[in-house]
Amino acid sequence: MSDIGNDIVISGMAAISAAGVGLDSLREALCRGESLLKPVPADILGESGHLWGKADGFRAVDFIPPLKARKFDRCSQFAVVATGMALKDAGIEPAALDADRIGIVLGCGFGGIANSEEFLRGYFTAGAEGLTPMLFPNTVPNASASNASIEHGLKGPNVTFVQRFCSAESAFMMACRFLQEDRADIILTGGVDELTPAMLRGFAATGQLRRHGAGFGEGAGILVLEKGSHARRRNAPARGSVGCVRTIGRLIPGQEGEGADRLLAGVTDASLVGLSGTAAGEKQLLDRLPAVTRLETAPLIGRSIAMGGLAMTALVLALRPGCNGLHLAASPEGPYYAIDFRGGNPVQP
Amino acid sequence: MRKTAAIAAKSMMVRKRIAITGLGIFSAAGKDVPSFSGSLLAGRCAIGPIDLFDVSPFAAGIGAQVHGFDPLDHFTAKQAKKLSRADQFGVIAAGEALGNSGVCGCYSPYDIGVSMGAGAAGMLQAEEWLKETLAGKKGNPSLLRGLLPDRTSMAIAAAYNLGGYLGSITTACSSSATAIGWGADLIATGRLKAAVCGGSDCLSILTFAGFNSLRVVDTEPCAPFSLGRQGISLGEGAAFLVLEDEESAICRGACVYGHVLGYAVAGEAYHMTAPEPSGADAARVMTAAMNQAGVSADEVGWVNAHGTGTPLNDVVETKAMKLVFGNRAMGVPLVSTKALTGHCLGAAGAIEALATVIALNEGVIPQTLNFRGADPDCDLDYCHPGAKQSAAKVALSNSFAFGGNITSLVLGI
């Protein structure tokens, strides 16, 4: 179960969120600790009083030629831009390395849903004549990761996960395993999400606006994971390193204690705990953790299905060199993840 | 077709292997393993009329729909109401696989996980909600319950009291093949003692209209690798394999149907819908899968193709075969079971993996159905005339997807 000694470093990161574009804006938001959620325009839901975390500071055309940007759904725009920023942060030019050895494994929440809705809207309102074929390829959840791989020439492992509020963590665990198995030298991982008015109307219809859909956000948080040996060879910068990745699928009724013990086995010396998804409400897990500072991004920039990408990025940004952190992620019906990080550059301690 | 634990023990290689100890399927070609095996071995095409929704606006109005399905044959009314069609297929097929393996109760529920691939999932029901709201109605919110493709994995875990790893891979048509490889990894690393791995997907207006709008749907049952093929026939269903560490499986007296020997996954980084034309990337992944499995190209008896029946895909996969197998390519049949099952998208890789395991156990290479004539650009052996007897112990199963996502599984007996 333990991944201690897996020698995986985080050689780059990128963030796009309600806080803005780039790591500095996320760091600043964490320091200020003030919510950046804004009121949802009343015309969207027919009522006011709701908040969302739109990444209003992001304009795809600031990074992608307009004609190309139009080809992508918003989720893919986030992924394409954040992937480029993360590669740059890591000092990686894919064309200068073996592209087959650079992969991308992302979590993606409602990716493709906006295109699906627009595509179907055309059909339901105008029949087959109303179909827009160009929309269809980007209705798949893997459009974001795949478009990012195409734009940046990443030909290594390429996988997308959707698993409730632990979509990004699901991707993160696979990325670590692929590096350990030597399937790649570098894997970009994390999460990407978009938020549309239609989604909010869906949350409203299902009663989620006052539950887990409250204060939803969007954006991308991407971490560049790299084999330590590879990073050392190229004198890469390292923002942190990865320790043990633990997960369980569910807390089984009547056997919750065993599940919690398994999830948190070996967690002892974290100086900072990052909470993602619905982890802040998991009392039976939180009670087992050390009484240290807790970092929760959801109240600041919003919660989303693949928010773990941004939450893990925030945790690594906040960790002091040499200090250990724990990322705890949960979904209401599972799964659960507990991931160890260490701040700073293990290559040049 | 069952191989006893004793025989499996004798044939067990030194290298630690992941055993397949349970099989389950629910599809148009068979609603359980025995009936699916019958269709596979007899070459009965399951592609035909669709009445799940109105297909009259489309040039191609056929597919491999699961007909005669009454959820109440499998679920209580209360249970059925909470599950989308894709969820229901998944729970049924996973249940057959788990029951077949007898694994539940042998390990802690926290040691048994779910690794699955998903596609359109509950889109069919969500489409109803959208249609209702566009018509000015309120829309029944329960129709949105299964919209996220991870819902099926949660339904399976809850139905069978599994508490281990829970993950849904969503790389379109390669989803469930990757999920099987990943499930094997989770066992190999000791994270799980067993995993039910596979995929579930169902027909939807989105995918039916989408592929029709791209003009890649054949008006007749799809004819992979044939002259005059026009594209895919869509399908639906679910298939699951129970995987365990072989040593543990044998210790508990499980039957072993075969092994997941290895897999590889990559992105072509070429185009969102068109395959890289030389086949080099597909060949790269197939070769990487064999390397990871510790299997040489000479040991591979045949390949279950992605084989959609689109003009371009079949040619590229043919080229990839030549790159991988060289002069031996003509002697390694490349067959497509999609002409039997339809293209089941998120479930396709799992259904094809299961078909491959069944065929390996039967000593048969399945027929590629619906032959229309020889295509000079598809000049390998596709078993168009009929199934072949084979002593092969190893086969590959390929899955290619939108986005250039490629997965190749290495399966053995």
Side-chain angles (χ1 to χ4, degrees), chain A:
Chain A
M1 191 77 180
S2 172
D3 296 332
I4 298 295
N6 59 19
D7 194 22
I8 295 171
V9 303
I10 300 153
S11 55
M13 299 194 296
I16 300 170
S17 71
V21 178
L23 295 172
D24 289 343
S25 55
L26 180 60
R27 186 186 289 110
E28 199 178 314
L30 296 174
C31 290
R32 282 205 311 268
E34 295 169 3
S35 174
L36 295 162
L37 303 181
K38 293 179 180 170
V40 177
D43 61 324
I44 290 178
L45 294 167
E47 61 183 39
S48 56
H50 300 285
L51 300 173
W52 65 357
K54 288 287 284 180
D56 290 329
F58 174 77
R59 287 184 354 125
V61 293
D62 292 343
F63 305 91
I64 309 171
L67 281 177
K68 182 175 274 187
R70 280 178 54 195
K71 278 195 337 183
F72 299 137
D73 58 309
R74 184 168 171 82
C75 224
S76 291
Q77 291 175 348
F78 285 144
V80 167
V81 172
T83 296
M85 292 165 57
L87 287 167
K88 188 176 177 189
D89 188 52
I92 293 168
E93 174 50 61
L97 299 173
D98 182 354
D100 293 358
R101 301 283 299 170
I102 309 175
I104 182 165
V105 185
L106 294 184
C108 183
F110 289 99
I113 296 293
N115 267 32
S116 300
E117 194 253 350
E118 188 178 348
F119 185 81
L120 286 166
R121 185 181 288 268
Y123 178 67
F124 289 142
T125 53
E129 295 297 310
L131 293 170
T132 307
M134 194 180 80
L135 292 171
F136 182 60
N138 286 335
T139 59
V140 292
N142 60 305
S144 303
S146 294
N147 279 317
S149 75
I150 293 166
E151 289 306 308
H152 297 287
L154 315 178
K155 300 185 72 162
N158 188 320
V159 181
T160 299
F161 281 86
V162 178
Q163 199 65 46
R164 301 285 137 156
F165 287 116
C166 294
S167 298
E169 291 80 1
S170 304
F172 188 93
M173 187 169 90
M174 176 182 270
C176 290
R177 173 64 183 155
F178 281 178
L179 292 173
Q180 289 169 326
E181 275 191 303
D182 197 33
R183 289 177 184 266
D185 296 323
I186 297 162
I187 296 192
L188 288 92
T189 188
V192 58
D193 275 306
E194 68 176 316
L195 181 59
T196 67
M199 283 167 52
L200 281 193
R201 286 191 283 271
F203 293 157
T206 53
Q208 288 295 327
L209 264 187
R210 303 199 183 279
R211 299 180 67 222
H212 306 304
F216 235 67
E218 65 172 3
I222 291 186
L223 302 94
V224 181
L225 302 188
E226 185 166 357
K227 286 162 67 177
S229 56
H230 192 269
R232 286 187 286 276
R233 272 201 302 277
R234 67 178 189 90
N235 290 318
R239 293 182 172 276
S241 55
V242 182
C244 189
V245 181
R246 313 167 191 81
T247 183
I248 58 167
R250 294 191 311 143
L251 285 170
I252 296 174
Q255 295 174 257
E256 293 92 342
E258 182 187 349
D261 287 345
R262 285 182 177 232
L263 180 69
L264 300 175
V267 173
T268 52
D269 58 351
S271 60
L272 181 62
V273 174
L275 302 176
S276 187
T278 55
E282 292 288 345
K283 190 171 183 308
Q284 60 190 323
L285 299 180
L286 297 177
D287 286 349
R288 292 165 191 255
L289 295 178
V292 298
T293 307
R294 288 170 186 176
L295 175 70
E296 193 186 2
T297 53
L300 307 179
I301 55 176
R303 176 187 287 129
S304 70
I305 295 293
M307 66 175 287
L310 278 163
M312 287 186 281
T313 301
L315 178 63
V316 175
L317 276 178
L319 272 178
R320 289 198 304 274
C323 291
N324 294 330
L326 176 74
H327 174 82
L328 182 68
S331 295
E333 299 168 78
Y336 302 82
Y337 279 81
I339 304 173
D340 293 338
F341 290 93
R342 178 181 284 258
N345 188 347
V347 180
Q348 297 161 330

Side-chain angles (χ1 to χ4, degrees), chain B residues 208-233:
Chain B
F208 204 83
F211 283 106
N212 266 285
S213 75
L214 296 179
R215 300 180 190 279
V216 292
V217 184
D218 206 314
T219 54
E220 300 294 322
C222 70
F225 306 108
S226 279
L227 188 68
R229 65 190 177 280
Q230 297 167 33
I232 67 174
S233 295

